[in-house]
Amino acid sequence: MLKKWHLILCAAIFLVPTLSWAMACHCYSQKNYDPNNPTSADPYLLATSQNSLVANVYNIAKKKIVIAKQKSSTTSERLWVAHWVAERTVFTPGKLLKARYRNNSWQEALATLQIDTQSFGSDFLQTLETLDVDTNLSQFVVDDVLLSNQIIAEKQLTVLRQMGSNDAETILSSLLALKTNQPASEFYNSVKFGGASWGSHLMSAQIDGTQMVEEIKGMLAHAPQQI
């Protein structure tokens, strides 16, 4: 009997690392800006800004977004595209994500669901057909969301993307610019090339990184007309 329990215990010990490796972790040990370790909260701030914007734009609980991203197949890129397309079709984001998971590309996934993509506009179609990878399509969607919600001016957005800003960096730079009325590219440049941190910028702008849903809601409600 003891030998049997010993074997079970050994099996469990070897299984734990495997389980921890297989499960995607979206936990962050540092969520608040620490002047002694300025960049420690940056990964969380980038992630929560992106999740909070999705929550505000599509009127869903941020918790649902975080839970959805626990699945390794649900990346931030796919989540953006799924919600954008869902808003324009009869399909739910979940249905669209499942279709994307079962197909090699968004082009195949949308065709499988018999979605008429012509109504999405020529820019979407060009991205879908010539740059059919998750990253490029999510960039199109994020840019569309930022512009349609008047979070950033098109010229500044173009500058950010030309500098190499990814979706999360573009979102946070845009929010900082909206709150402070300063160019978004200056925030990105100071972090990427000037040694600053996202946390320090949020603190200076008096934005609470742990309450981004409410922070963004307030910014969107008072967003000026961008040119």
Side-chain angles (χ1 to χ4, degrees):
M1 187 68 174
L2 289 175
K3 183 176 182 181
K4 179 181 178 180
W5 280 108
H6 177 73
L7 291 173
I8 293 174
L9 180 61
C10 288
I13 291 172
F14 282 107
L15 182 60
V16 169
T18 303
L19 288 173
S20 63
W21 174 84
M23 294 174 64
C25 180
H26 292 270
C27 303
Y28 297 91
S29 58
Q30 185 66 33
K31 297 183 179 181
N32 295 296
Y33 173 68
D34 179 2
N36 295 316
N37 191 2
T39 61
S40 59
D42 281 1
Y44 168 76
L45 296 173
L46 288 164
T48 195
S49 297
Q50 187 161 199
N51 293 343
S52 299
L53 183 60
V54 176
N56 272 284
V57 170
Y58 297 108
N59 194 29
I60 56 177
K62 178 187 169 186
K63 183 178 180 180
K64 290 185 177 181
I65 300 167
V66 175
I67 292 174
K69 290 170 70 173
Q70 297 300 316
K71 297 180 180 179
S72 58
S73 61
T74 306
T75 62
S76 293
E77 291 80 11
R78 292 184 181 183
L79 197 69
W80 272 114
V81 178
H83 279 283
W84 190 91
V85 174
E87 193 176 45
R88 292 159 174 78
T89 65
V90 299
F91 297 99
T92 64
K95 181 73 173 180
L96 290 161
L97 285 168
K98 287 181 180 178
R100 174 62 186 90
Y101 175 71
R102 293 168 181 167
N103 291 275
N104 295 321
S105 67
W106 274 111
Q107 191 171 34
E108 290 182 12
L110 299 181
T112 299
L113 296 175
Q114 298 183 327
I115 293 176
D116 181 12
T117 56
Q118 295 295 323
S119 62
F120 296 162
S122 58
D123 290 339
F124 179 90
L125 289 176
Q126 183 178 2
T127 306
L128 181 69
E129 295 171 0
T130 62
L131 297 171
D132 194 15
V133 295
D134 291 329
T135 301
N136 291 319
L137 206 54
S138 73
Q139 177 175 318
F140 168 86
V141 169
V142 168
D143 289 358
D144 180 72
V145 167
L146 292 172
L147 292 172
S148 62
N149 285 276
Q150 302 174 3
I151 296 173
I152 188 173
E154 187 171 2
K155 290 182 179 179
Q156 269 294 303
L157 180 58
T158 299
V159 171
L160 273 177
R161 291 303 194 178
Q162 289 177 341
M163 293 173 72
S165 180
N166 62 31
D167 288 344
E169 293 165 340
T170 298
I171 289 168
L172 194 46
S173 296
S174 300
L175 293 172
L176 283 163
L178 182 61
K179 183 66 182 284
T180 64
N181 199 30
Q182 298 178 42
S185 57
E186 289 187 5
F187 292 107
Y188 176 79
N189 185 68
S190 68
V191 172
K192 301 300 288 187
F193 309 109
S197 69
W198 295 111
S200 63
H201 283 310
L202 285 175
M203 184 185 69
S204 297
Q206 297 184 333
I207 298 175
D208 185 350
T210 65
Q211 301 295 325
M212 284 302 288
V213 171
E214 292 303 317
E215 291 280 4
I216 293 175
K217 182 183 295 184
M219 283 187 256
L220 292 178
H222 300 92
Q225 179 67 48
Q226 302 287 348
I227 301 175

